[in-house]
Amino acid sequence: MAMIFPVLAARRAAVTVEVIGRWCSVSREVVFTEELAALWKEMLGDEADLNTGFISNGGDSLQAVLFADRVFRLTGRELDYLEILEAPDVAALAASVRAGDRE
């Protein structure tokens, strides 16, 4: 009977680490999306809509290049300016960047 408890304790510890790891991963994704949203508003103005594309918010290709540069300097993540121009909103752009990180 004494042998079972260390196994259960190890299993419980593994599950706890997995849950915490998932939570941290989700938290990083949320923080990254919020960072992009703040930069989006900084580049396009406070009235910029986060649920609308870059061009629809008055952005142009030069601003998209500057945005990509800022994202790289802040996060170390490369982002093509065409992705910025084609993304329907900030959340889709963040998801695209995260998907690129996993490849």
Side-chain angles (χ1 to χ4, degrees):
M1 187 83 154
M3 297 296 286
I4 294 175
F5 291 119
V7 172
L8 291 176
R11 180 175 287 159
R12 182 177 295 149
V15 169
T16 301
V17 167
E18 182 180 343
V19 169
I20 290 172
R22 286 183 189 166
W23 181 81
C24 289
S25 176
V26 169
S27 295
R28 282 191 298 266
E29 291 176 7
V30 168
V31 167
F32 179 66
T33 303
E34 289 174 356
E35 287 173 344
L36 275 185
L39 185 56
W40 187 274
K41 293 229 178 225
E42 183 181 325
M43 295 291 295
L44 299 171
D46 288 331
E47 67 282 347
D49 184 4
L50 300 175
N51 299 313
T52 306
F54 197 81
I55 293 175
S56 299
N57 277 304
D60 57 31
S61 59
L62 177 59
Q63 286 177 311
V65 170
L66 296 173
F67 185 87
D69 180 61
R70 291 286 303 278
V71 169
F72 180 75
R73 285 191 281 141
L74 289 172
T75 66
R77 299 176 189 208
E78 290 190 21
L79 188 59
D80 185 30
Y81 80 98
L82 291 175
E83 287 181 86
I84 298 165
L85 295 175
E86 294 172 354
D89 57 24
V90 172
L93 183 61
S96 172
V97 173
R98 285 192 308 271
D101 285 350
R102 293 185 191 118
E103 293 176 355

